[in-house]
């Protein structure tokens, strides 16, 4: 009788192990688990290089996220955008070229790019994990901008951004070389306020 009970336990344990292994290995796309070690989030601060395709425009920018609703885009290409710095914050956005400030209308070419990128990633930082999947080490998350779908991919282990796509706006972004953002030290001369410069 005792050996029969042991056989039943062994069969039950073996069946559970096979089912568990099948569930882990048989799925090409697994739901994102918030309990996974080093689970990446989108609410971090960083600097990352971005190659941006917006309709017929191809641009490059160094993008800095200092926190929620706090983004800076420093464009290096194309020639007409080289040197333009756009800052997107809770109070809206501003643009500068050297010491000159300029304005552009809402949803203009120059404002739409930062708004879609910053807005959709900030939305992910506050969302649940319901629309996130991990496949082959890549985290895919669905967001939106003004009701239009935006898909963001990131490294499934460390959360570094890989890409952002918004088909409605014909916007595609590739991210490279993400590094944690370190604020400049005002005592080391790394930050000069406008008041001090005058």
């Amino acid at each position: 009788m005792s050996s029969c009970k042991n056989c039943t336990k062994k069969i039950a344990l073996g069946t559970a192990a096979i089912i568990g292994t099948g569930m882990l290995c048989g799925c090409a796309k697994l739901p994102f688990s918030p309990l996974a070690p080093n689970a990446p989030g989108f609410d971090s601060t960083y600097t990352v290089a971005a190659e941006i395709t917006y309709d017929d425009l191809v641009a490059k920018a160094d993008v800095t996220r200092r926190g929620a609703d706090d983004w800076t885009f420093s464009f290096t290409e194309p020639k007409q955008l080289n040197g333009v710095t756009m800052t997107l914050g809770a109070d809206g956005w501003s643009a500068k070229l050297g010491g000159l400030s300029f304005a552009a209308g809402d949803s203009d070419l120059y404002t739409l790019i930062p708004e879609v990128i910053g807005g959709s990633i900030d939305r992910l930082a506050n969302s649940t994990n319901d629309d996130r999947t991990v496949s082959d080490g890549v985290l895919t998350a669905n967001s939106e901008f003004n009701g239009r779908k935006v898909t963001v991919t990131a490294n499934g282990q460390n959360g570094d951004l890989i890409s952002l796509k918004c088909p409605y706006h014909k916007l595609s972004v590739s991210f490279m070389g993400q590094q944690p953002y370190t604020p400049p030290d005002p005592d080391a001369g790394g930050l000069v306020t406008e008041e001090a410069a005058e």
Side-chain angles (χ1 to χ4, degrees):
M1 191 74 165
S2 169
S3 71
C4 191
K5 280 185 181 178
N6 286 338
C7 284
T8 305
K9 283 183 184 177
K10 286 180 183 178
I11 291 171
L13 288 172
T15 304
I18 291 169
I19 291 171
T21 303
M23 287 176 69
L24 289 174
C25 300
C27 300
K29 234 177 193 183
L30 297 174
F32 176 69
S33 169
L35 302 177
N38 304 318
F42 291 95
D43 194 17
S44 59
T45 60
Y46 48 80
T47 298
V48 63
E51 185 167 324
I52 302 162
T53 303
Y54 176 67
D55 203 1
D56 293 329
L57 173 74
V58 177
K60 291 184 179 179
D62 294 320
V63 179
T64 300
R65 184 181 191 269
R66 287 181 297 275
D69 296 320
D70 192 356
W71 293 80
T72 299
F73 292 74
S74 300
F75 287 92
T76 56
E77 292 182 24
K79 188 176 180 180
Q80 64 266 33
L81 284 178
N82 185 23
V84 172
T85 299
M86 298 196 70
T87 303
L88 180 65
D91 297 329
W93 58 267
S94 63
K96 290 186 176 184
L97 176 58
L100 300 174
S101 297
F102 61 93
D106 287 339
S107 299
D108 195 339
L109 164 69
Y110 303 109
T111 59
L112 187 65
I113 292 170
E115 285 175 351
V116 173
I117 296 170
S120 54
I121 292 176
D122 280 345
R123 186 179 180 92
L124 283 174
N126 297 317
S127 71
T128 65
N129 295 327
D130 296 342
D131 288 334
R132 301 183 190 190
T133 56
V134 175
S135 178
D136 297 325
V138 175
L139 167 66
T140 301
N142 292 317
S143 185
E144 65 176 55
F145 176 77
N146 286 348
R148 306 298 181 180
K149 182 178 177 181
V150 179
T151 303
V152 178
T153 61
N155 183 303
Q157 289 299 312
N158 59 22
D160 287 359
L161 294 173
I162 297 172
S163 70
L164 179 146
K165 294 184 188 308
C166 182
Y168 178 82
H169 290 294
K170 299 179 183 176
L171 176 66
S172 176
V173 186
S174 295
F175 299 101
M176 297 149 285
Q178 184 168 320
Q179 298 291 326
Y181 170 68
T182 305
D185 182 357
D187 296 330
L191 177 67
V192 179
T193 64
E194 290 182 14
E195 293 83 4
E198 290 175 355

